[in-house]
Amino acid sequence: MRAAVDEVGERVLAGDSLRDVLRDLIRRGPRSGRGLDELRDRARRLRRDALRRGNLDGAVTRAQQLLDQALATERDALRARPDDPEARFSEAVLDNLPRSTSRAVEELSEYNWASDEARGLYQQILDGLRREVVEQRFAGMKQALENGDFAGVEEMVADLNQLLEKHARGEDTSDAFQQFMDKHGQFFPENPKDIDELIDSLARRAAAAERLMRSLSPQQQEELSRLMDQALGDGPLRGRLAELTDNLRALRPQLNWGRGERMRGPDDLGYGDAAAALGEIGELDELLDQLGQEHPGATLDDVDVEMVERQLGRSAADDVRRLRELERELSRQGWVTRDAEGLTLSPKALRRLGRTALAKVFDDLSGRKQGQHDLRDAGAAGDLIGSSRRWEFGDEQPLDVVRTIGNAVRRRAAGGNVGVLPVRLEPDDFEVAETERRASAAVALLVDLSYSMYADGRWGPMKQTALALSHLVATQFPQDSLQIIGFGLHAAALSQGELAAIDPTAEKGTNLQHALKLAGRHLRRHPGAEPVVLVVTDGEPTAHLEPDGEAVFWWPPLPETVRATIHEVDHLTRFGATLNVFMLGEDPGLQRFVAAVAERNGGRVFSPDAEELGRYVVDDYVRARRGRR
């Protein structure tokens, strides 16, 4: 689980969308594993293969072939009776049959066949279609139909309709279902465990039959429908099957009842095979939707593992079970939580993500060379309090020149070199003047969320920097108060989770004025803390808020935008806040603006490369924090 979380963390810190990364973890699978995307690809291939299985009008074609054979055989028998007037009359009947197969079969229902073989071929048209229709709807009908037990079939369908109607009314059908299965269980070899499982199985079969009709041309539909009516006869079975279809459609309306398919192939599929192919396609469509996980609130529990096994095999079902267990275990161990939009990292995972980001920053700090801070101006260090202390590496307080030279002179005097000039200074001689520092700090980290940050590869470093600093403050300096403020066309305070999950947008605007206003509110909530504002941006301000709260964007920047932003800088300066700017890129307008801010506020300016941003920000905070020990 930790490895999966670390994999997510690596991509988030590289700038990828948190929700996309979590979704990819399930869709592509963790490292060395298979995910939902691969299973969807296999399902799509199976669906394409099913569409090439054959032509759907095979039932009508087969009926036409049997009818042609029956008529040819009958004509041979009639020609063998040259002097029989009744034979001539029968030939005339055959000569005037409609061209439509179904209508010809209908007119021959009362025909007195001269040939037993021809009569048998004709009967195969009706018996075969009736058998296929009933077997397609009920998996266990073959033996009953071979025994000619149509009365038993009719009784079962009648009892089934009563059971479904009772269930549709919301009545308790547990006992009724068990009684039905005890009486008619031989017709259902799949042995459904409850009424819902029975309905699911029957509804998919009925929907496949409906889709078959919708997949045929109007002429083919009419031909097949008339043939089925004749095959099922005038008894109660035909009406009961139609009633069953209506009941199942009402109970499972979400199935694709009316969707047709264009199938092609070298073979003519009979009714049963054509309906089975469409049932398979319908199930694959359902499976593709489940594996897609596109609807709000989708989870892997939505995936029917038994359906996966039927369509894609045992190994695919095992893959889904492993992914489902991964999702559940991530939740159980507290690494992810679920909201209305799907999975998101938990506070526990965000702490780990922040720790990873901070570790990356400290790796950079330990390996960097000195002197890489450029464009640094002297910062406001606070009021002198009259005392001094030994200089330590990283101190930025002003040198106490008198005490430093005195230390050097006393060191030389102790060595017997009192009169020798010049006085040479050594590191141990230096002392710095102590300044008034507060025990805690209120820190506002302002991060630019404009699209240019993403387009120029600065999105990931920005996230890593903010998460690292947030984790550092929370774990090492809990007395400090950090607020992360993101700004684009508008500004808003961001939690760790919101920062990790935020995605870039194409919305234009760099509203630093709004961000500085929010920073001021944060600082004023902590009046006893040292106020510090850190700004990470790659562009000059191009947006500001009007008095009515509406944001105004324009490029190049309007004078009103610059004035409104400087106004907030002056507010923070009068409050005593240090404003340090981390300037990404070489935009001349930004350089001019930042120079003006540094001059007015006295803060420092840094110009790091994007990959060094975290080191600069954290190093600056740690240096300043060291002065408050």
Side-chain angles (χ1 to χ4, degrees):
M1 296 301 134
R2 292 177 183 271
V5 173
D6 288 341
E7 181 180 350
V8 171
E10 288 177 13
R11 291 187 54 190
V12 170
L13 293 180
D16 290 347
S17 162
L18 171 60
R19 294 198 185 277
D20 287 347
V21 173
L22 286 171
R23 188 163 53 245
D24 285 350
L25 179 66
I26 301 300
R27 295 176 69 88
R28 299 179 184 174
R31 289 170 180 150
S32 72
R34 293 187 295 186
L36 298 185
D37 280 354
E38 183 175 338
L39 300 182
R40 288 190 82 194
D41 288 342
R42 291 170 59 186
R44 288 191 189 96
R45 288 196 296 270
L46 288 174
R47 191 183 191 281
R48 287 195 297 269
D49 292 343
L51 288 172
R52 294 192 290 263
R53 196 167 295 172
N55 295 314
L56 295 176
D57 61 345
V60 177
T61 302
R62 182 172 181 273
Q64 178 65 59
Q65 291 171 346
L66 286 172
L67 180 62
D68 289 345
Q69 293 178 39
L71 294 178
T73 303
E74 177 71 2
R75 290 181 188 281
D76 289 343
L78 294 175
R79 280 195 293 270
R81 297 157 49 188
D83 299 326
D84 187 347
E86 292 185 5
R88 304 289 77 75
F89 178 78
S90 296
E91 287 177 337
V93 170
L94 299 182
D95 290 339
N96 288 282
L97 286 173
R99 296 182 62 183
S100 164
T101 300
S102 61
R103 294 182 182 277
V105 170
E106 185 176 358
E107 288 197 12
L108 289 171
S109 60
E110 303 296 330
Y111 178 76
N112 185 20
W113 295 89
S115 166
D116 292 338
E117 182 183 356
R119 181 185 298 106
L121 290 169
Y122 172 80
Q123 197 60 41
Q124 283 183 41
I125 298 174
L126 303 178
D127 292 347
L129 185 56
R130 178 170 58 245
R131 183 173 58 253
E132 285 194 276
V133 169
V134 177
E135 286 182 359
Q136 187 273 327
R137 299 294 293 271
F138 306 99
M141 286 295 180
K142 184 174 182 179
Q143 184 174 357
L145 295 175
E146 288 177 349
N147 296 334
D149 185 16
F150 282 100
V153 174
E154 291 173 355
E155 182 183 8
M156 183 275 294
V157 177
D159 291 345
L160 178 58
N161 280 323
Q162 291 179 8
L163 176 64
L164 297 184
E165 289 166 1
K166 186 175 182 180
H167 181 74
R169 291 193 297 268
E171 300 179 27
D172 184 4
T173 55
S174 301
D175 293 340
F177 169 75
Q178 193 56 54
Q179 293 171 6
F180 176 83
M181 291 302 296
D182 290 343
K183 183 177 180 181
H184 302 296
Q186 72 273 15
F187 296 127
F188 303 94
E190 60 267 45
N191 193 27
K193 65 177 182 296
D194 55 36
I195 191 170
D196 285 318
E197 201 169 283
L198 174 65
I199 293 171
D200 286 340
S201 175
L202 292 173
R204 286 194 174 92
R205 289 173 172 270
E210 290 292 295
R211 292 180 72 179
L212 171 56
M213 296 301 291
R214 299 296 184 274
S215 301
L216 299 174
S217 68
Q219 181 180 356
Q220 291 170 334
Q221 286 185 39
E222 182 183 3
E223 287 287 284
L224 181 57
S225 179
R226 293 176 71 94
L227 285 171
M228 289 172 59
D229 287 346
Q230 294 171 67
L232 295 174
D234 296 328
L237 181 60
R238 184 171 69 181
R240 289 172 180 171
L241 285 176
E243 182 182 355
L244 176 61
T245 298
D246 292 339
N247 287 331
L248 293 171
R249 186 196 293 267
L251 290 168
R252 292 294 184 270
Q254 72 273 16
L255 297 178
N256 289 324
W257 291 87
R259 176 177 171 180
E261 299 288 347
R262 292 174 61 90
M263 289 184 60
R264 294 290 184 270
D267 301 321
D268 291 324
L269 301 179
Y271 181 88
D273 290 338
L278 288 168
E280 183 178 332
I281 291 171
E283 190 164 275
L284 286 169
D285 286 338
E286 190 176 346
L287 188 57
L288 285 167
D289 180 63
Q290 293 175 9
L291 295 175
Q293 297 280 287
E294 298 293 345
H295 55 281
T299 73
L300 287 174
D301 289 335
D302 299 332
V303 179
D304 187 334
V305 179
E306 293 180 356
M307 187 187 297
V308 172
E309 186 164 351
R310 280 197 303 273
Q311 296 295 338
L312 306 181
R314 177 74 176 274
S315 64
D318 290 341
D319 288 336
V320 173
R321 292 187 183 98
R322 280 192 291 269
L323 290 171
R324 182 181 287 178
E325 182 60 28
L326 171 63
E327 184 180 73
R328 290 173 178 170
E329 194 65 15
L330 285 171
S331 297
R332 190 185 69 79
Q333 294 189 18
W335 293 112
V336 299
T337 57
R338 181 172 293 281
D339 58 22
E341 297 183 12
L343 293 177
T344 187
L345 290 181
S346 67
K348 174 182 176 180
L350 288 170
R351 286 193 297 273
R352 184 175 181 85
L353 186 59
R355 186 165 62 248
T356 301
L358 188 59
K360 290 178 179 291
V361 169
F362 278 139
D363 285 344
D364 291 342
L365 282 172
S366 63
R368 72 176 178 89
K369 297 179 181 179
Q370 293 299 314
Q372 289 183 331
H373 281 63
D374 55 335
L375 295 182
R376 288 174 48 178
D377 297 332
D383 297 330
L384 295 174
I385 60 175
S387 62
S388 65
R389 60 175 173 79
R390 292 288 183 179
W391 172 85
E392 296 179 7
F393 175 76
D395 281 340
E396 294 185 341
Q397 282 78 7
L399 285 175
D400 188 324
V401 179
V402 175
R403 286 188 171 93
T404 298
I405 295 176
N407 290 338
V409 171
R410 283 189 291 274
R411 175 177 50 77
R412 293 185 56 161
N417 297 323
V418 178
V420 179
L421 294 174
V423 176
R424 296 187 179 277
L425 301 178
E426 294 185 2
D428 289 341
D429 298 330
F430 287 93
E431 289 199 24
V432 294
E434 290 198 302
T435 57
E436 181 182 9
R437 290 283 185 171
R438 294 165 179 154
S440 63
V443 183
L445 175 61
L446 282 51
V447 291
D448 189 343
L449 302 181
S450 62
Y451 188 75
S452 61
M453 290 282 289
Y454 175 77
D456 294 334
R458 296 160 184 156
W459 195 262
M462 175 273 292
K463 279 191 177 183
Q464 177 176 317
T465 298
L467 290 169
L469 184 60
S470 179
H471 186 75
L472 177 65
V473 171
T475 57
Q476 300 298 318
F477 305 106
Q479 68 272 39
D480 288 357
S481 178
L482 171 68
Q483 184 174 81
I484 301 169
I485 299 172
F487 60 97
L489 183 60
H490 296 86
L494 300 172
S495 66
Q496 267 192 318
E498 289 168 336
L499 175 69
I502 197 165
D503 294 331
T505 68
E507 188 178 59
K508 296 179 180 180
T510 303
N511 198 336
L512 180 58
Q513 179 251 349
H514 191 191
L516 292 171
K517 183 184 289 289
L518 296 182
R521 293 176 186 172
H522 171 65
L523 301 183
R524 285 191 291 274
R525 284 194 292 268
H526 304 276
E530 182 174 346
V532 178
V533 178
L534 309 175
V535 180
V536 176
T537 184
D538 70 345
E540 58 187 320
T542 58
H544 70 280
L545 292 183
E546 292 285 0
D548 61 0
E550 289 295 318
V552 175
F553 162 77
W554 197 260
W555 190 92
L558 296 170
E560 300 94 294
T561 298
V562 176
R563 282 197 299 269
T565 307
I566 292 296
H567 180 71
E568 296 299 332
V569 170
D570 291 343
H571 266 305
L572 292 171
T573 302
R574 287 193 295 272
F575 188 74
T578 301
L579 203 159
N580 296 338
V581 180
F582 300 84
M583 183 175 59
L584 302 177
E586 300 179 352
D587 178 27
L590 176 61
Q591 291 178 350
R592 289 191 300 270
F593 175 79
V594 167
V597 169
E599 183 178 354
R600 299 175 77 95
N601 175 265
R604 293 185 297 275
V605 177
F606 302 89
S607 182
D609 293 333
E611 60 271 14
E612 294 182 316
L613 176 63
R615 170 170 69 79
Y616 272 68
V617 172
V618 171
D619 190 22
D620 182 64
Y621 172 78
V622 171
R623 284 171 179 268
R625 195 62 187 75
R626 187 181 291 123
R628 295 192 298 272
R629 289 183 303 183

